[in-house]
């Protein structure tokens, strides 16, 4: 990937024809699906489905102005959130399991996605926030390209689980302005037990490095609204199950001590979490405080903490 593209925004990619080439490459990946690290190898263009249960058609659960994201993302005008149906990680404690596991949502055309993006921009949203987009990248890029043609000019936020292929992320260079991944687990055991992804941490570490290479640390405008960069979310799990120290140590030592991190306290035992004794409660105030202490010890003081 040409690193000179770093300096181009998505409109330039659109005007040069590069965006169209990326869309073609992304659709090619659907024929033997390797969009994400699951590498199911199914032909989604022929209606076959893999782990994420998604076919060729785009599926969306909802879209709206969201005021509950981190302050630099929601700002005063809201974040233009589009929830994609299904998920390539499918954590067993997912709060959004009706969307991620059960597939609640509607099939829509790429033209309808274009309309959603433009309507969110018109409402005054600061960005287009794609929630769980990984398994629909080709279709999203197609709708996005039409939106750019019709005047879309706000940052694109890629709000994902962190379980991403570097090669797929490279298709997004110069297109995505803000990467907002989760970094869920710092151990192989947790990835395997709760998300059927024993390689989660290893894969997510490579993905974070690629995201940071593309966009750098989070930069805000004078109003405190995010313009470009990396924002990493970490949900603290009960009984140390998220491997919080390992997650934050990686960010401090291998990404940047200026990484903007969002430390989330809202865990509750949703969906199948009750089947796991160690996950079957909310976190305590002490557990959240321990996570705050770790980031302080590691010198990671940029980001957002929740009042527990
Ligand atoms: S996007 Fe879906 S079908 Fe494709 S590799 Fe990932 S889980 Fe499998």
């Amino acid at each position: 990937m040409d690193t000179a593209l770093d300096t181009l925004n998505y409109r330039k990619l659109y005007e040069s024809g590069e965006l169209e080439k990326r869309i073609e490459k992304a659709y090619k990946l659907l024929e033997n699906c390797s969009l994400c690290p699951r590498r199911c190898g199914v032909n989604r263009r022929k209606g076959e489905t893999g782990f994420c249960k998604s076919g060729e058609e785009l599926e969306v659960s909802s879209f709206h102005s969201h005021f509950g994201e981190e302050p630099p993302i929601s700002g005063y005008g809201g974040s233009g959130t589009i929830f994609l149906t299904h998920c390539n990680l499918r954590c067993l404690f997912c709060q959004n399991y009706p969307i991620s596991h059960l597939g609640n949502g509607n099939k829509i055309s790429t033209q309808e996605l274009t309309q959603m993006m433009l309507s969110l921009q018109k409402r005054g949203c600061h960005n287009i926030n794609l929630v769980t987009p990984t398994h629909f990248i080709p279709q999203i890029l197609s709708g996005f390209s039409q939106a750019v043609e019709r005047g879309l000019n706000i940052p694109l936020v890629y709000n994902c689980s962190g379980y991403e292929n570097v090669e797929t992320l490279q298709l997004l260079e110069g297109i995505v302005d803000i990467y907002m991944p989760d970094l869920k687990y710092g151990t192989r055991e947790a990835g395997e037990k709760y998300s059927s992804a024993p390689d989660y941490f290893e894969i997510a570490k490579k993905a974070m490095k690629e995201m940071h290479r593309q966009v750098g640390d989070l930069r805000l405008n004078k109003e405190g609204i995010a313009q470009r960069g990396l924002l990493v979310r970490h949900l603290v799990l009960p009984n140390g199950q998220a491997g919080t120290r390992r997650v934050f140590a990686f960010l401090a030592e291998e990404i940047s001590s200026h990484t903007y991190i969002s430390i989330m306290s809202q865990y509750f035992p949703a969906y199948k979490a009750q089947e796991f004794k160690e996950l079957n409660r909310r976190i305590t105030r002490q557990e959240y405080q321990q996570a705050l202490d770790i980031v302080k010890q590691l010198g990671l003081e940029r980001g957002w903490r929740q009042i527990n």
Side-chain angles (χ1 to χ4, degrees):
M1 188 65 52
D2 184 356
T3 52
L5 290 175
D6 254 356
T7 58
L8 302 178
N9 62 27
Y10 60 61
R11 177 152 298 280
K12 289 178 185 163
L13 291 185
Y14 169 77
E15 285 166 358
S16 69
E18 172 65 17
L19 183 51
E20 204 50 44
K21 287 184 195 156
R22 304 271 187 97
I23 294 169
E24 277 170 34
K25 284 183 191 168
Y27 268 105
K28 198 82 192 139
L29 292 176
L30 278 188
E31 290 172 12
N32 183 14
C33 196
S34 55
L35 273 176
C36 90
R38 303 274 182 202
R39 298 187 189 275
C40 299
V42 294
N43 189 341
R44 288 178 50 191
R45 299 210 78 171
K46 290 195 172 163
E48 294 172 12
T49 55
F51 184 90
C52 66
K53 301 183 186 169
S54 313
E56 185 175 20
E57 273 184 284
L58 193 55
E59 292 178 69
V60 165
S61 299
S62 65
F63 75 107
H64 54 266
S65 309
H66 191 357
F67 291 88
E69 300 282 42
E70 287 77 358
I73 301 296
S74 280
Y76 53 87
S79 177
T81 304
I82 301 175
F83 276 90
L84 285 305
T85 308
H86 305 299
C87 178
N88 73 320
L89 192 60
R90 299 220 316 262
C91 307
L92 292 174
F93 51 83
C94 182
Q95 296 170 21
N96 293 326
Y97 71 91
I99 300 171
S100 57
H101 286 256
L102 307 181
N104 285 4
N106 297 306
K107 289 187 173 163
I108 63 161
S109 65
T110 57
Q111 290 83 358
E112 286 171 295
L113 181 70
T114 303
Q115 286 297 348
M116 286 177 188
M117 290 179 173
L118 293 172
S119 117
L120 291 166
Q121 175 169 279
K122 204 170 170 191
R123 286 181 209 177
C125 293
H126 299 294
N127 47 59
I128 299 297
N129 181 351
L130 301 161
V131 184
T132 326
T134 312
H135 49 292
F136 282 127
I137 284 174
Q139 299 90 332
I140 289 170
L141 290 183
S142 178
F144 168 74
S145 175
Q146 297 163 57
V148 175
E149 185 181 2
R150 292 172 54 188
L152 188 76
N153 61 8
I154 52 178
L156 199 62
V157 181
Y158 190 85
N159 181 344
C160 69
S161 69
Y163 198 53
E164 306 286 324
N165 268 348
V166 168
E167 310 87 74
T168 307
L169 290 174
Q170 286 171 342
L171 293 176
L172 304 176
E173 183 166 8
I175 296 170
V176 168
D177 301 287
I178 298 160
Y179 282 106
M180 192 159 68
D182 291 335
L183 192 46
K184 288 177 178 291
Y185 316 114
T187 66
R188 200 174 164 80
E189 293 71 30
E192 180 163 24
K193 202 168 176 187
Y194 308 132
S195 298
S196 309
D199 55 359
Y200 175 86
F201 193 37
E202 289 312 308
I203 294 271
K205 284 195 284 188
K206 289 181 191 152
M208 302 287 137
K209 287 182 181 176
E210 172 61 19
M211 293 174 189
H212 189 255
R213 181 191 72 75
Q214 289 183 22
V215 297
D217 293 328
L218 193 70
R219 294 193 288 286
L220 314 181
N221 67 11
K222 283 181 190 156
E223 296 175 305
I225 310 296
Q227 300 299 297
R228 187 174 162 87
L230 176 69
L231 186 164
V232 181
R233 288 172 159 173
H234 178 69
L235 178 67
V236 181
L237 294 177
N239 295 302
Q241 292 301 303
T244 298
R245 181 174 289 280
R246 295 181 67 169
V247 163
F248 290 147
F250 161 73
L251 292 173
E253 291 159 16
E254 298 189 49
I255 298 294
S256 161
S257 59
H258 302 297
T259 305
Y260 191 106
I261 49 174
S262 175
I263 310 167
M264 301 189 292
S265 64
Q266 71 263 39
Y267 173 81
F268 65 93
Y271 198 43
K272 297 194 174 168
Q274 288 163 12
E275 294 174 14
F276 298 89
K277 196 168 167 249
E278 70 280 12
L279 288 186
N280 196 16
R281 64 165 170 82
R282 289 180 178 267
I283 63 164
T284 62
R285 206 171 267 272
Q286 288 74 16
E287 284 172 322
Y288 190 68
Q289 186 58 49
Q290 277 166 11
L292 298 184
D293 293 344
I294 291 169
V295 293
K296 197 166 182 192
Q297 287 158 15
L298 291 166
L300 279 167
E301 296 204 40
R302 190 165 178 240
W304 193 58
R305 290 87 173 103
Q306 291 175 327
I307 309 294
N308 203 10

